[in-house]
Amino acid sequence: MAAPAMQQPSYLLANLKMDSTTKPFLQCCQELVKVIDDYPAKELHLIFPWLVESVFGSLDGVIVGWNLGFLQACSNRYNIVMDFLNPSGPMMKLVYKLQAEEYKYEIPVSFLPGPVKVSIQEGVLPDCPLLNNKLHFPLSGLQTLSLALNPFEYYMFMFASSLITPKNYSLGQHVSSLDSAYFVLVDTYLKYFLPTEGSVPPSPFTYKRGSVSPPAPRAPSVPFAGYGIHSTSLLKRHISHQPSVTADPAAQEIWRSEALLQVFVEMWLHHYSLEMYQKLQSPQVKLALLQYRLSMSSMLCQPLTPPGSGTLDTYQEPFTPTEEHVLVVRLLVKHLHAFSCSLKPEQVSSSAHSHTSPLEELKRVVVHRFVQQKLYVFLQHCFGHWPLDASFRVVAWVSYIQPWRYTGEKTNPQTDQNKGVPEKWRFFVQENLLMYTKLFQGFLNRVVRTDLVNVKNALMVFRVAKVFAQPNLSEMIQKGEQLFLEPEHVLHHRQHRCFLSPGHGGSFLSARQPVVTDRVFRVKSHVYGLEGQDCQYKQMFGTELRGTVLKLIQIIDQARQTAKKISDQSAEVAANNSFMSWFGMGSPDLNYTFNGGEVDDTGACVKKTHEFLERSLDYLCQIFRLNAGQLSQLMATLGSGQDDGNSKQLPDCVQGENGLILTDLGRMQVINGLRRFEIAYQGDPELQPIRSYENAILVRLFFKISSLVNERFGGHMDALCSRPDFLGQLGRHYLASPEAAADGRRRSPETRLTAEGYRRPRLSLRMLASYRTLLMLLLLYLFGALFSFGLMSSTLLILTVGFLYGLLRKCRFLPK
C-alpha cells in the first residue's frame, strides 16, 4: 500500500475491499493493523462502518461477516480473530482513535428491537437509556429515524446485534457452541469493562488532542434508566437539541462500562410480545404506577389515550430466542451477579456517597436498575414460547435467582447445600419476588405437560426443585409474599417516602437517595412495577398452587412407575434375546413399546430417571412442607386407581364428532406412558411393510404369485366362501383375511371404507416368506428324509397335515 500522505481515503477503502476478496485472511488482518496504526482518524472514519460490517455482518443479515458464532478454537482463523478483536487489540484501538475525534455513525431505528422501534415510530420515547440525546430527526418524518452513536457505542451495537440477526448460513455451517469466538468475546468484554477486581483499564491510546473523550453528558431532565415514568412525545421534547450540562467527572470514569451494559441489555433482552408491550409502555399504566409509588393520592390522574392505534401486526415482534441467544443471556446474568457481588463490604453499609467510587456505585445498582425488568419480561416470553423439551434448561432463570453462587467464595457443595441461603440475601429475594413465585408457577405449568420419563426432563425438574429446597429460601419467599399482601390502608398511613429511581429523575452516580427502610413499599413497588397496579397475584404457597404441586407429585410418582416398567421390560427383552429371535421365534409384535420413554431411556438412563424423580419428590415435600404421612396418603390414593391392567386400557378420553378426544388426564397418561392407544396396522395385510423376520425377495415373489391366482380364480373363491354349508365355512377359514374379518376391533370411518376392498376372499402366501415358517419347513423336510420320504411325498404329507389341522380347528376339536 502507498504511504498515508499520498493516498486518498476513497482509494484506501476501495483497496481494502479488493484485498478482502483476493488475499488470504491472515494477510488482510495484518494490513488492517498497519492501516489502523499509520492512517489518521479522518481517513479511518470512512472505512470504520465497512470494517465493522465485514466483521459482524450487516444488520439485514445479507452480509454474514466472519461468522464469530460458528468459529471454533480448532479453526486456523480463531487466534487471528481473537487477537484482532480483544479489548486491547487493533479493532478497539481504531474505536478509541475515532472516539477522540467525536465522530458519529447512524443506525436506522428499524433495526432496533420491535417494542423500541414501534414506540419511536409512533412518536413516543421508550424507556431506553441508549436513546438519550442520540435520535436524529430527518426531514422526511419519524419513519426514517436513526440513532447517532459514537464509535464505541456503534461497535458494541453491531457486535450485540450479530447474535440476534438472522443470517443466510450455508448448509452444515450451524455448529455454534459455548467455545465459539462470539461467546468467548462476550465473556472477555464483560470481564474487561465490568471487572470484578480492580477498576476498568484506562484507554491505552492517547493522541495529540488528549485522551479518549467520553460521550456527551446527559441532561438533568433525561432519566438514566427510565423505568417507571411515562413516555413523552418526541415532538414536545427535542432530545437532540437539549442543553448540555457540566459532566460529573466521576460519571465519566466508567462511561464505557455503562455503554456496553446498555447496549447488551437493550439488544438482547428488549424483546417481548404485544400484550407485554402494551402493559409496560402504556401511559395509563405508567402514570398510575408513578402516582402509587410517589404516594401522591391528592393528584388527579386522567387516563390518557394510548399512543397510536396500530393493529396487532404493527406491534407484534415475531421473535423467538435461539439457544445461542439464551446462553449468552445466561453468561451476562452470571457475570453481572459476580460483578455485583464483588462490591466491597465497606461500600455496602456506607452511607456517604462521596466516598464511593463510580465503579463501586455501579456494582451496587447494576442488577436491580439495569437488568431486572427486561430480564423478567424476557424470561416470561421464553416460558411461554420455548418448546416443551429438556432444552429449556439453558434459560437463565435459575442462574438469576441464585446470586449467592457467584460471590467468588470457595465452598464445599455438600456443606453449602446444608447451610442454606445466607441471611443477607433476604432483601434480594423480596425485591425479586416475582422471579421466584410467578416464574416458578410458569415452570410448574410446563412440567405437568412434559414427559418426565425422559431422563433429561427428570434432571431438569430435579435441578429446579433442588434450588428451591435450599434451607431458608422458601421462608424468605413466603416472608416476601406476606409483605406484599399487607393491606393497602396500612401502607397509606405510613410516612410518605419518595422512592427515587433513575427513572424518576435520579442518577446512579448522583448523590445517594434516601434509604428506604419500608420493606412493604419495596416489595409492592417491585410487583406493581413489573406486573402493573391491577395485577392479580397468585401466592406460591397458596391453596391454588398447592393443588398444582400435588398434581405434579402424582405425575412424578406415575413417571417413576413407568420408568420401572420400562426397566423391567428391557431386562426381559435382554434375557429373551437369543439367536432364535433372528428367525422370528420371539414376539412378532414390533409395535409394542412404552410411549413414555425415548430410545436412550433404558438401562442406566432409566435408573437415573428413577433417582432424579425420587429426589425431586423429597425436595418438593421440603419446599411445601409435606410430611411423610401426607405423601403416603397421596401415593396410596394414586395407587388405588392404578394396577397392572390399567396400562393396557385406553387413555381417558371423550367421544367427539370426529372420534375420541383426549382429556387432560388422558394427555398426562399418554405423556408418562401409563396408558396407550393400540397401535396396529389397519391397511391391506398384503401391503404392510416388510418385517425384519421376513425375507424381502420371497415376500415380493409370493405377492406376485398370490395376485395372479386371485385375479384368475377370484370368482370361484367368492362363490366358495358364499356357500352356507361346511365347504363354505372351510373356504372362509383358509381364504378370508383374519385381520379384515375381526369384528371386535374399532376402526376409524376412513379405515372401514378402505377395508372393504381387501375383505374379499383371496389366497395369501406371505406366511411362507417368514423365516420361522421356512425354518419349520426345513426341519419337516429333514425329518421326512430320515424316514426316506421324497420331496413330493414330504410336500403332500405337509399339505395333508396342514389341511387336517385346519379342519379340526374349524370343527372346534382344537383350540384356536
Side-chain angles (χ1 to χ4, degrees):
M1 291 186 178
M6 300 296 296
Q7 193 172 16
Q8 298 297 325
S10 58
Y11 294 129
L12 174 63
L13 179 59
N15 287 341
L16 289 176
K17 289 183 178 180
M18 182 178 298
D19 292 344
S20 66
T21 59
T22 59
K23 294 184 178 181
F25 183 76
L26 175 59
Q27 185 177 353
C28 290
C29 290
Q30 291 173 345
E31 293 187 358
L32 284 172
V33 173
K34 190 174 184 302
V35 168
I36 294 172
D37 290 335
D38 296 344
Y39 282 81
K42 182 178 179 181
E43 299 181 7
L44 296 175
H45 164 60
L46 295 178
I47 73 167
F48 182 62
W50 167 82
L51 180 57
V52 173
E53 194 174 74
S54 300
V55 174
F56 302 129
S58 58
L59 293 173
D60 56 8
V62 176
I63 300 176
V64 177
W66 288 0
N67 292 332
L68 299 181
F70 313 114
L71 185 62
Q72 307 297 313
C74 58
S75 173
N76 296 330
R77 291 189 174 191
Y78 182 84
N79 291 330
I80 303 173
V81 170
M82 298 303 294
D83 291 339
F84 189 79
L85 298 179
N86 76 75
S88 300
M91 191 68 175
M92 198 58 68
K93 179 179 180 180
L94 173 60
V95 171
Y96 293 140
K97 201 170 184 178
L98 297 173
Q99 187 77 34
E101 302 295 333
E102 299 182 357
Y103 286 109
K104 298 293 182 180
Y105 301 90
E106 292 189 357
I107 293 289
V109 169
S110 58
F111 292 109
L112 293 176
V116 181
K117 174 182 62 179
V118 173
S119 181
I120 293 176
Q121 289 176 347
E122 294 201 349
V124 177
L125 177 66
D127 297 338
C128 181
L130 187 63
L131 305 180
N132 293 338
N133 300 324
K134 297 181 178 68
L135 283 175
H136 175 67
F137 293 87
L139 298 177
S140 55
L142 295 177
Q143 296 299 323
T144 56
L145 278 172
S146 61
L147 293 180
L149 304 179
N150 64 49
F152 184 84
E153 293 169 336
Y154 179 81
Y155 175 81
M156 288 302 171
F157 183 93
M158 296 293 290
F159 175 70
S161 298
S162 63
L163 175 68
I164 59 178
T165 301
K167 300 290 196 310
N168 297 322
Y169 296 111
S170 59
L171 186 62
Q173 198 173 9
H174 189 80
V175 290
S176 179
S177 63
L178 296 182
D179 60 351
S180 67
Y182 189 88
F183 196 87
V184 175
L185 276 175
V186 171
D187 186 52
T188 303
Y189 288 154
L190 289 173
K191 291 179 179 177
Y192 186 88
F193 294 106
L194 296 168
T196 56
E197 297 181 1
S199 59
V200 182
S203 171
F205 312 109
T206 57
Y207 309 101
K208 296 179 181 179
R209 293 187 57 179
S211 60
V212 176
S213 60
R218 295 181 295 271
S221 59
V222 181
F224 191 93
Y227 298 148
I229 189 169
H230 64 87
S231 304
T232 309
S233 173
L234 293 175
L235 303 179
K236 297 180 181 179
R237 190 172 163 194
H238 303 285
I239 297 179
S240 60
H241 302 289
Q242 289 185 8
S244 61
V245 296
T246 303
D248 183 2
Q252 308 307 322
E253 181 181 325
I254 58 169
W255 71 267
R256 289 174 296 164
S257 304
E258 294 180 5
L260 175 135
L261 187 56
Q262 289 172 9
V263 171
F264 284 1
V265 169
E266 295 299 333
M267 297 308 298
W268 294 343
L269 299 180
H270 211 150
H271 303 272
Y272 36 76
S273 60
L274 167 68
E275 295 79 10
M276 198 59 63
Y277 170 80
Q278 291 175 331
K279 176 185 291 186
L280 295 180
Q281 302 293 343
S282 172
Q284 303 98 307
V285 174
K286 290 188 174 296
L287 283 176
L289 176 60
L290 180 63
Q291 179 187 12
Y292 175 79
R293 283 184 171 179
L294 301 180
S295 301
M296 296 184 296
S297 57
S298 60
M299 176 179 176
L300 296 177
C301 179
Q302 300 297 332
L304 299 179
T305 304
S309 56
T311 61
L312 283 175
D313 295 334
T314 304
Y315 292 96
Q316 184 69 39
E317 181 186 18
F319 180 82
T320 301
T322 61
E323 187 168 341
E324 291 80 9
H325 183 180
V326 174
L327 286 173
V328 172
V329 170
R330 186 173 68 174
L331 175 64
L332 174 65
V333 169
K334 288 182 177 180
H335 182 80
L336 291 182
H337 273 321
F339 178 70
S340 179
C341 291
S342 64
L343 180 64
K344 297 178 182 179
E346 60 269 17
Q347 302 294 351
V348 176
S349 57
S350 175
S351 60
H353 175 63
S354 58
H355 300 290
T356 304
S357 68
L359 188 63
E360 295 298 313
E361 179 69 8
L362 183 61
K363 291 179 181 181
R364 186 179 64 84
V365 299
V366 62
V367 174
H368 179 70
R369 305 286 176 86
F370 276 93
V371 181
Q372 185 193 64
Q373 184 194 47
K374 289 185 173 63
L375 179 64
Y376 174 73
V377 178
F378 178 80
L379 290 177
Q380 275 197 315
H381 186 79
C382 291
F383 273 64
H385 293 78
W386 202 270
L388 287 172
D389 55 27
S391 65
F392 185 74
R393 68 188 184 280
V394 302
V395 178
W397 170 49
V398 175
S399 299
Y400 181 82
I401 62 177
Q402 296 185 92
W404 45 87
R405 292 183 56 190
Y406 310 104
T407 58
E409 302 174 358
K410 295 182 179 180
T411 56
N412 187 350
Q414 287 292 106
T415 307
D416 189 59
Q417 178 69 18
N418 297 330
K419 183 179 178 181
V421 180
E423 184 65 23
K424 68 178 181 179
W425 294 105
R426 179 180 297 273
F427 294 154
F428 177 89
V429 174
Q430 295 173 359
E431 294 177 5
N432 291 271
L433 185 63
L434 291 177
M435 290 286 192
Y436 293 90
T437 59
K438 187 168 183 179
L439 293 186
F440 180 79
Q441 296 168 25
F443 179 77
L444 288 184
N445 292 332
R446 292 179 59 89
V447 170
V448 296
R449 296 177 290 160
T450 304
D451 175 18
L452 297 184
V453 182
N454 183 348
V455 63
K456 296 179 181 179
N457 292 331
L459 175 60
M460 179 176 62
V461 176
F462 161 72
R463 286 178 174 174
V464 173
K466 181 179 179 181
V467 169
F468 280 86
Q470 296 177 81
N472 304 336
L473 182 57
S474 58
E475 289 80 0
M476 293 179 181
I477 298 174
Q478 194 166 12
K479 177 60 177 178
E481 289 189 324
Q482 293 174 358
L483 293 174
F484 173 74
L485 296 175
E486 185 172 329
E488 297 290 338
H489 64 85
V490 177
L491 182 63
H492 290 307
H493 286 291
R494 298 178 187 270
Q495 180 182 0
H496 292 308
R497 294 180 176 90
C498 185
F499 180 46
L500 289 181
S501 69
H504 300 143
S507 173
F508 292 136
L509 305 177
S510 60
R512 185 186 297 271
Q513 307 301 335
V515 178
V516 180
T517 58
D518 192 340
R519 307 312 307 173
V520 176
F521 185 79
R522 289 226 175 186
V523 175
K524 289 180 179 291
S525 297
H526 158 71
V527 175
Y528 292 141
L530 296 183
E531 288 292 322
Q533 194 174 5
D534 57 345
C535 71
Q536 300 294 326
Y537 183 79
K538 184 188 298 184
Q539 298 184 56
M540 179 173 172
F541 296 95
T543 306
E544 183 177 355
L545 188 64
R546 191 178 183 87
T548 305
V549 172
L550 295 179
K551 178 182 178 181
L552 175 60
I553 290 177
Q554 291 180 335
I555 293 176
I556 291 177
D557 188 70
Q558 292 168 345
R560 285 194 310 166
Q561 297 177 16
T562 304
K564 187 176 184 304
K565 292 178 183 178
I566 295 176
S567 179
D568 295 342
Q569 184 194 25
S570 301
E572 292 180 6
V573 171
N576 296 331
N577 188 16
S578 62
F579 175 78
M580 296 302 294
S581 64
W582 183 75
F583 295 97
M585 299 300 289
S587 174
D589 186 6
L590 301 181
N591 292 319
Y592 183 73
T593 57
F594 277 95
N595 295 334
E598 291 187 350
V599 177
D600 61 345
D601 287 341
T602 56
C605 288
V606 176
K607 293 180 180 179
K608 290 182 179 178
T609 302
H610 188 275
E611 178 183 353
F612 291 146
L613 296 177
E614 182 75 28
R615 298 181 66 180
S616 298
L617 280 178
D618 295 339
Y619 287 139
L620 288 174
C621 292
Q622 294 177 24
I623 297 169
F624 294 94
R625 299 179 181 85
L626 296 175
N627 55 43
Q630 291 175 311
L631 184 62
S632 301
Q633 183 179 2
L634 185 63
M635 296 299 102
T637 304
L638 176 64
S640 63
Q642 301 287 339
D643 53 26
D644 293 338
N646 267 351
S647 61
K648 300 183 182 299
Q649 297 178 4
L650 289 179
D652 188 68
C653 48
V654 296
Q655 186 68 38
E657 296 180 358
N658 299 321
L660 297 177
I661 301 176
L662 282 173
T663 62
D664 292 338
L665 176 60
R667 293 190 188 94
M668 182 270 295
Q669 292 170 340
V670 172
I671 289 174
N672 292 282
L674 300 175
R675 297 187 184 181
R676 62 187 180 93
F677 289 102
E678 182 181 358
I679 302 175
Y681 181 80
Q682 295 185 351
D684 188 347
E686 292 296 304
L687 300 178
Q688 61 181 311
I690 298 175
R691 308 295 186 181
S692 60
Y693 55 83
E694 294 178 325
N695 186 282
I697 298 176
L698 292 180
V699 169
R700 297 185 178 96
L701 176 62
F702 288 138
F703 176 75
K704 293 181 180 179
I705 296 175
S706 301
S707 299
L708 291 175
V709 173
N710 292 330
E711 183 179 356
R712 182 75 179 273
F713 301 101
H716 298 285
M717 295 179 185
D718 290 339
L720 176 63
C721 293
S722 61
R723 296 177 57 170
D725 54 7
F726 178 76
L727 290 178
Q729 295 181 9
L730 197 61
R732 288 190 292 272
H733 173 74
Y734 284 104
L735 299 177
S737 171
E739 289 84 357
D743 297 329
R745 179 174 296 173
R746 287 184 288 179
R747 299 179 181 272
S748 64
E750 182 180 359
T751 306
R752 287 194 294 268
L753 293 177
T754 56
E756 297 297 333
Y758 58 80
R759 284 187 176 181
R760 294 179 57 188
R762 56 183 175 175
L763 177 66
S764 177
L765 301 177
R766 180 162 179 164
M767 61 174 297
L768 298 178
S770 170
Y771 289 117
R772 181 172 63 178
T773 304
L774 294 175
L775 179 61
M776 292 178 63
L777 290 176
L778 178 61
L779 293 176
L780 289 175
Y781 278 112
L782 291 177
F783 185 77
L786 293 177
F787 291 93
S788 302
F789 284 98
L791 184 63
M792 294 298 297
S793 302
S794 297
T795 302
L796 290 175
L797 182 61
I798 291 173
L799 292 176
T800 303
V801 171
F803 177 79
L804 293 176
Y805 177 77
L807 183 63
L808 293 175
R809 286 190 60 183
K810 192 63 182 176
C811 296
R812 303 183 185 279
F813 291 119
L814 292 176
K816 294 185 179 181

